[in-house]
Amino acid sequence: MDTPQNTALTRALTELPGPLPARGVIHIAIRHTDRFTVVGNDLAQHPGLSTTAVGFAVRIQSLPQGTEVGIKALAARFPEGEKLVAAALRELEAHGYLQRARTRLPNGRIVTRTVFCNQPTALLRPRAAAAPPQQAPAAPQVTAPATASAPAPAPARGPALTPAPKPEHHAPEAPVPEAPAPQTPAPEAPVPQGHASFIPLVPPPTAPKPPRPPLPRPRELTPELERISAALLSDLHHHSPEFTLSEEHVHRLVPGVAAWLERDSHPDTIRHALTTNAPEPVKYPYQFVKHRLTALLPPPPHRTTVTPFQTCDGCERAFRAPTPGHCRDCRTGHAHEDQQAAA
């Protein structure tokens, strides 16, 4: 039995203009006229969100205002379990798309209010969006006297056409700034203020990245350390073919390996630290090896100073001291004899 094919999709594919790509996805975009939700690429292609979190964000964004979007409500509506739903909501909350806060109602009942924002980075500019409404009250002060000074037959007069456009343009604006009308969105004002609690969690897109730490270097790059380090780096591709380094890269990484050797690290230990649990494939082996040499650098060895044994010049007893001389008993006896001689 042959596999059924979607002939309508095949026909639409042939109607696409221009050459089609040899591989990869091919989009057949049909414009929606009803029951659709606009989703931005900052959410759909967010590098820090899992596919499950992006899916739940789209589903929450498509729900009507006032719909319950708690863990149990979403688990009852969709096939995912409560653990998966809770993990997705935590991701959205960490990246600023979702905020859950407990609020006390006027009747004393405590409820959890969930606020979802489809573009949290835009909340970094709340003052620029709030500036235009502050200029709206100035319009009624100019247009209020215009309604009384502009009679209806004025536009019919020929000479009066030059001053007439000013009151005519302001006349339609008179009913717009009525006293209650611009203040109707006032109850929604606390909602953007609630978002301010997680605005600092969203880093600005132009925030400078911290500088990377430099490659470690030994206190003294001796010829022996340089030889062993270069041999270790050149031999990495024999243990893992993906770690093939050029001659220039080996020369740049030698000080980092020498710093490990100076801290009493065995070459096999260094090789294991550089190549174990590496991603597949390693696209940039030089950058990967440089990062591991810097991030996994072991601490310097703790060396204890041992005080050597000395032979007492008086009684020939062995005692520990940094320099030769007399033991404690002999020094005490000599000091007692000196006191008696002085008396």
Side-chain angles (χ1 to χ4, degrees):
M1 182 176 180
D2 295 337
T3 303
Q5 296 182 356
N6 191 342
T7 57
L9 190 62
T10 305
R11 185 174 63 255
L13 187 63
T14 59
E15 297 174 357
L16 291 178
L20 300 179
R23 58 182 180 179
V25 64
I26 301 175
H27 292 283
I28 299 179
I30 301 175
R31 184 178 297 275
H32 292 278
T33 57
D34 59 349
R35 293 182 54 81
F36 65 92
T37 301
V38 178
V39 179
N41 284 339
D42 56 340
L43 172 62
Q45 300 179 5
H46 198 291
L49 289 176
S50 63
T51 307
T52 304
V54 174
F56 273 104
V58 174
R59 287 182 166 181
I60 293 174
Q61 188 174 344
S62 66
L63 294 176
Q65 191 93 333
T67 305
E68 293 290 338
V69 290
I71 297 176
K72 293 185 179 297
L74 292 177
R77 179 186 292 268
F78 302 116
E80 288 80 4
E82 293 186 6
K83 292 184 178 180
L84 197 59
V85 173
L89 295 184
R90 284 194 298 269
E91 286 188 51
L92 295 175
E93 194 169 6
H95 288 83
Y97 287 91
L98 190 73
Q99 182 195 25
R100 293 177 288 185
R102 299 179 67 84
T103 307
R104 184 181 296 274
L105 298 179
N107 58 1
R109 182 183 176 188
I110 298 178
V111 297
T112 300
R113 173 176 292 176
T114 303
V115 181
F116 181 84
C117 179
N118 62 340
Q119 192 178 1
T121 54
L123 297 177
L124 297 173
R125 307 180 296 272
R127 295 182 180 179
Q134 297 177 358
Q135 303 175 359
Q141 298 176 2
V142 179
T143 58
T147 56
S149 62
R157 299 179 182 178
L161 291 177
T162 52
K166 292 183 179 180
E168 284 180 1
H169 285 292
H170 292 289
E173 299 179 2
V176 177
E178 295 179 358
Q183 298 178 0
T184 50
E188 298 180 1
V191 176
Q193 295 176 2
H195 287 288
S197 60
F198 62 85
I199 287 178
L201 297 179
V202 182
T206 58
K209 296 183 179 179
R212 295 182 178 180
L215 185 72
R217 303 185 65 88
R219 290 176 296 179
E220 181 183 359
L221 184 59
T222 61
E224 184 67 14
L225 284 178
E226 186 174 3
R227 183 187 64 81
I228 298 176
S229 302
L232 188 148
L233 291 169
S234 303
D235 191 60
L236 284 179
H237 69 279
H238 290 122
H239 301 271
S240 182
E242 296 180 347
F243 288 88
T244 302
L245 301 172
S246 64
E247 183 178 359
E248 181 182 359
H249 290 166
V250 170
H251 179 71
R252 293 180 182 179
L253 295 174
V254 159
V257 179
W260 283 58
L261 294 172
E262 192 180 51
R263 301 191 177 196
D264 294 343
S265 296
H266 194 272
D268 292 341
T269 304
I270 303 175
R271 188 181 299 107
H272 183 270
L274 297 180
T275 59
T276 303
N277 296 330
E280 296 182 2
V282 180
K283 295 183 179 180
Y284 306 101
Y286 167 72
Q287 297 291 346
F288 184 80
V289 173
K290 179 180 178 182
H291 169 72
R292 288 209 167 180
L293 286 174
T294 306
L296 304 180
L297 180 66
H302 179 69
R303 304 183 185 275
T304 57
T305 304
V306 180
T307 305
F309 281 102
Q310 306 291 345
T311 302
C312 179
D313 295 340
C315 63
E316 297 186 354
R317 181 188 301 173
F319 69 101
R320 290 187 180 273
T323 57
H326 294 84
C327 64
R328 182 177 56 184
D329 295 339
C330 292
R331 289 197 302 271
T332 305
H334 288 315
H336 183 65
E337 293 176 358
D338 294 339
Q339 290 178 0
Q340 288 182 352

